[in-house]
Amino acid sequence: MIKISPSILSSDYSILGAELKRMEDCGADMLHIDVMDGHFVPNITLGAPIVKCIRKSSSLPFDVHLMISDPYKYIPDFAKAGSDIITFHYEADSDIDETIDLIHSLGKKAGLSIKPKTPAEVVFPYLDKLEMVLVMTVEPGFGGQSFMADMMPKVSAVRAEAEKRGLDTDIQVDGGISGSTIGIAAKAGANVFVSGNAIFSSDDAAATISEFKAIAGE
């Protein structure tokens, strides 16, 4: 199933509640919330209190991407704040099995993300426990970067392994997703697409989301 997850990193934070409502009205399937700590990645965004505040602005699933050094410590806060899917990084400091188990114990879906330099095979030992795998198609930390097409073999490798095990795992891509790149990622095996600038800066976000779904579904 094709899902579009607009990244609020590209939204107008001064009217964030309205921006989330706009994305919901325009046909988004979930909302991608980037959490950066200034340590794991060289940028700082927002924390659990903000997630809690904006939760009332949308009924869409909150797709929360923790780009932080110690996700295990903060996952309970983000779960309580209203996250639905919590994705953390393989490269972070927390024990992966324990972190996945913690997410599930709080009634949330678990995702594991890998940076561009990390091989796809590192997620295989955890694949049976994950609802989603996020393959970064840019270096994490800032929006507006160019899509890295050389990440597509990693997407294909994760999809092939999931299918071999009979798993219907969501495979998400994040970074540089636009009308010219979403088809490439979909053909590689991705089905969940994070897009920031291409959607939020569009004159017609509804048409853009609809176009993305059509291209990815071809």
Side-chain angles (χ1 to χ4, degrees):
M1 179 180 176
I2 302 300
K3 303 172 189 174
I4 305 297
S5 187
S7 172
I8 70 168
L9 192 63
S10 298
S11 69
D12 182 345
Y13 273 41
S14 70
I15 52 168
L16 189 50
E19 289 280 71
L20 302 191
K21 183 65 166 59
R22 179 166 72 97
M23 290 299 107
E24 184 169 352
D25 292 343
C26 287
D29 299 289
M30 56 181 75
L31 292 164
H32 191 79
I33 301 172
D34 288 307
V35 177
M36 308 181 195
D37 63 0
H39 182 261
F40 184 74
V41 292
N43 196 6
I44 297 174
T45 52
L46 49 80
I50 302 298
V51 175
K52 182 179 180 180
C53 286
I54 63 176
R55 179 67 276 184
K56 61 181 177 289
S57 298
S58 175
S59 62
L60 289 177
F62 276 12
D63 166 27
V64 176
H65 179 193
L66 300 181
M67 288 176 270
I68 61 179
S69 295
D70 189 9
Y72 187 92
K73 179 179 179 181
Y74 296 98
I75 278 167
D77 292 337
F78 283 98
K80 187 177 180 180
S83 307
D84 296 288
I85 306 165
I86 301 177
T87 299
F88 67 100
H89 270 264
Y90 171 85
E91 304 87 357
D93 298 330
S94 300
D95 180 273
I96 294 171
D97 275 313
E98 290 180 0
T99 306
I100 295 170
D101 291 344
L102 176 61
I103 293 169
H104 286 156
S105 75
L106 296 167
K108 309 301 180 180
K109 294 181 178 180
L112 186 62
S113 181
I114 50 175
K115 291 182 178 183
K117 293 180 181 178
T118 303
E121 290 73 20
V122 301
V123 307
F124 291 179
Y126 314 101
L127 201 52
D128 295 277
K129 298 173 66 175
L130 295 167
E131 281 76 36
M132 188 165 74
V133 173
L134 167 54
V135 177
M136 293 299 299
T137 45
V138 295
E139 286 292 342
F142 294 91
Q145 299 182 65
S146 297
F147 176 78
M148 299 170 69
D150 55 342
M151 295 299 106
M152 294 306 97
K154 290 164 61 173
V155 173
S156 297
V158 176
R159 176 58 71 199
E161 184 66 20
E163 289 181 347
K164 186 171 78 172
R165 301 186 191 189
L167 302 173
D168 190 23
T169 310
D170 281 332
I171 300 180
Q172 185 178 69
V173 285
D174 180 3
I177 298 299
S178 66
S180 62
T181 60
I182 192 169
I184 298 169
K187 285 182 174 62
N191 70 299
V192 184
F193 305 91
V194 177
S195 181
N197 290 337
I199 294 176
F200 278 98
S201 65
S202 172
D203 292 333
D204 189 339
T208 299
I209 290 172
S210 179
E211 177 190 12
F212 282 7
K213 289 183 178 181
I215 294 171
E218 289 178 350

